[in-house]
Amino acid sequence: MYTQALDIPDASPSDAKPAKLASTTPAAHAFAHPELQARFDARIDADGKIEPQDWMPEAYRKTLVRQISQHAHSEIVGMLPEGNWISRAPSLKRKAILLAKVQDEGGHGLYLYSAAETLGTSRDQMLEALHTGRAKYSSIFNYPTLNWADVGVIGWLVDGAAIMNQIPLCRCSYGPYARAMIRICKEESFHQRQGFEALLTMMGGTEAQRQMVQDAVNRWWWKCLAMFGPPDTDSPNSAQGMRWGIKRISNDDLRQKFVDATVPQAEVLGVTLPDPDLKWNEARGHYDFGAIDWDEFWATVNGNGPCNQERLATRVKAYADGAWVRDAALAHARKQQQRALKEAA
Amino acid sequence: MSTSHTPEAAPRPLGEWPLWEVFVRSKQGLEHKHCGSLHASDAAHALQMARDVYTRRQEGVSIWVVPSAAITASLPDDKAEFFEPAGDKIYRHPTFYDIPDAVGHM
């Protein structure tokens, strides 16, 4: 999962603010390498790909490292809210599906960390940034999953929004990122469909089950709309991202696409979306929808969401608890290596 | 090829598992194709991880893992002259030759 829109400055968690995103300055570096810069620009203009060994402006590299690593962090933190439900899934079938989905998220994190590593940052550096709270991840995972319907809604809406965000990234100008996204998008469609189907099953159940679904939709809908990132007017980095071929479609356009695609799905499911202003606009050919609470969004980005601390603590604990496994594997590998060398001697 | 060339045996910082490149053959009869990379402590471990990461949906019937440090790559195409010699040898392509239509498919 998650997002092109999540390209948020990592440095100080208290600073991230809408219109105050640190704007990147590609200019300084370009002066030093006008010829290389020209070649880079020409390739971008021709919709070509940049590969790890190619020269690239420092700001392009930095932006990609930040965006891809945030994306990777989002995948592995995203395992946590759903992981909570593996042992409580209502049937063996749902449990197997959820296990497969959570395993996919881990795999997606790995594809993305690998892509970021090609830019010259190490896995350990990225994990360190996550674990010390310097790096961001998608805010959507800082909300709790209160009942089983939440798991279905995460599949249908959260993964649905993620797919909307990710499909344009398959055409990203940086080769390794684009290739990782192609793999991810192929796998992600199962995530959305399984969620929708789980909800459909609940809607065919008792009145209490139907209410659970509606309650979960009510709690997640606005958070999903915020996943597409701040409005275009508050996204100063967007133009640069577009210029670089990293971003292809604007936050607001993607958000509109998501709303337009989701409203008919909600009708099939038999739930209402919690927005009194949501209605078809014949003139625009799109659904109109109400205002998003951006203060709440930024409060969560800046560490004050309901689950920020819990998610990070769980992640850090898992990493610390796994240290002996990593060490033991290395010790074993070294021993095997020495044995082989001794036999060869 | 030098038999003493064992990149794995080189001393390395031990904080991180070394990096491996993964190649997967999607079905019998096709070539192995690069599909990504991963960190693992040794070759056997890398194979296990590659199976879990890159063939969760039966994407492969065979996997190769290669220490990333063992790969020698040509310079990026900023140095295009490496490939230039092939540029003007268009007679290496079948379309260079005009054959009368009467000959049919050749």
Side-chain angles (χ1 to χ4, degrees), chain B:
Chain B
M1 189 181 288
S2 157
T3 49
S4 66
H5 181 62
T6 49
E8 277 178 276
R12 59 188 178 217
L14 297 174
E16 220 173 46
W17 289 342
L19 191 64
W20 301 76
E21 299 302 319
V22 180
F23 300 79
V24 171
R25 158 175 283 162
S26 57
K27 66 178 200 188
Q28 212 62 27
L30 294 181
E31 73 278 44
H32 286 77
K33 208 172 151 192
H34 183 245
C35 70
S37 56
L38 51 77
H39 289 276
S41 58
D42 61 21
H45 186 203
L47 269 182
Q48 287 274 343
M49 304 266 275
R51 183 204 59 184
D52 291 345
V53 173
Y54 292 107
T55 63
R56 286 197 298 282
R57 291 177 173 78
Q58 297 183 293
E59 291 94 336
V61 295
S62 165
I63 300 175
W64 290 346
V65 289
V66 180
S68 304
I71 291 180
T72 306
S74 64
L75 291 169
D77 65 357
D78 293 338
K79 307 264 178 274
E81 54 268 34
F82 186 67
F83 297 101
E84 235 166 38
D88 56 357
K89 297 181 176 57
I90 50 172
Y91 46 82
R92 285 178 172 166
H93 296 280
T95 46
F96 179 74
Y97 304 93
D98 284 330
I99 305 289
D101 289 346
V103 176
H105 177 71
M106 178 184 268

Side-chain angles (χ1 to χ4, degrees), chain A residues 4 22-23 30 187 267:
Chain A
Q4 60 159 17
S23 66
E187 298 182 354
E267 280 163 18

Side-chain angles (χ1 to χ4, degrees), chain A residues 36 39 43 53-55 100 103-108 110-111 114-115 117-118 122-125 179 183 186-188 190-191 319 325-327 329-330 332-334 336-337 341, chain B residues 6-10 12-19 24 34-43 45 49 51-57 59 73-80:
Chain A
L36 294 170
R39 207 188 313 237
R43 192 176 303 174
Q53 287 185 306
D54 296 333
W55 184 89
Q103 193 192 11
D104 272 357
E105 312 296 5
H108 296 176
L110 189 139
Y111 307 155
S114 299
E117 282 173 83
T118 63
S122 78
R123 182 81 57 96
D124 282 351
Q125 281 172 330
R179 291 192 286 275
R183 289 191 78 85
K186 264 187 204 161
E187 298 182 354
E188 202 80 50
F190 132 66
H191 296 186
Y319 189 74
V325 179
R326 294 190 296 278
D327 292 344
L330 269 180
H332 176 74
R334 277 197 300 269
Q336 295 294 108
Q337 209 170 62
L341 287 175
Chain B
T6 49
E8 277 178 276
R12 59 188 178 217
L14 297 174
E16 220 173 46
W17 289 342
L19 191 64
V24 171
H34 183 245
C35 70
S37 56
L38 51 77
H39 289 276
S41 58
D42 61 21
H45 186 203
M49 304 266 275
R51 183 204 59 184
D52 291 345
V53 173
Y54 292 107
T55 63
R56 286 197 298 282
R57 291 177 173 78
E59 291 94 336
S74 64
L75 291 169
D77 65 357
D78 293 338
K79 307 264 178 274

Side-chain angles (χ1 to χ4, degrees), chain A residues 133-254:
Chain A
R134 271 185 296 125
K136 301 285 184 197
Y137 54 86
S138 182
S139 270
I140 195 81
F141 303 118
N142 288 322
Y143 300 102
T145 41
L146 299 181
N147 72 51
W148 173 251
D150 288 48
V151 175
V153 168
I154 286 181
W156 173 40
L157 294 181
V158 176
D159 290 313
I163 293 169
M164 223 38 122
N165 261 322
Q166 289 176 335
I167 286 177
L169 285 173
C170 295
R171 292 185 291 123
C172 163
S173 62
Y174 188 58
Y177 193 23
R179 291 192 286 275
M181 290 318 306
I182 289 169
R183 289 191 78 85
I184 290 172
C185 285
K186 264 187 204 161
E187 298 182 354
E188 202 80 50
S189 116
F190 132 66
H191 296 186
Q192 189 183 20
R193 292 172 64 107
Q194 67 82 33
F196 190 82
E197 193 228 29
L199 295 176
L200 212 50
T201 305
M202 288 182 82
M203 292 302 286
T206 65
E207 186 49 35
Q209 286 175 307
R210 279 190 287 276
Q211 276 171 16
M212 278 167 76
V213 175
Q214 184 63 58
D215 167 60
V217 169
N218 291 348
R219 281 181 290 109
W220 288 95
W221 173 249
W222 289 105
K223 324 276 190 240
C224 289
L225 293 193
M227 277 175 72
F228 293 91
D232 296 344
T233 45
D234 287 339
S235 307
N237 284 341
S238 281
Q240 183 63 70
M242 295 264 188
R243 174 69 191 86
W244 278 333
I246 296 174
K247 193 179 188 124
R248 298 284 181 169
I249 305 179
S250 82
N251 294 354
D252 285 335
D253 287 352
L254 281 171

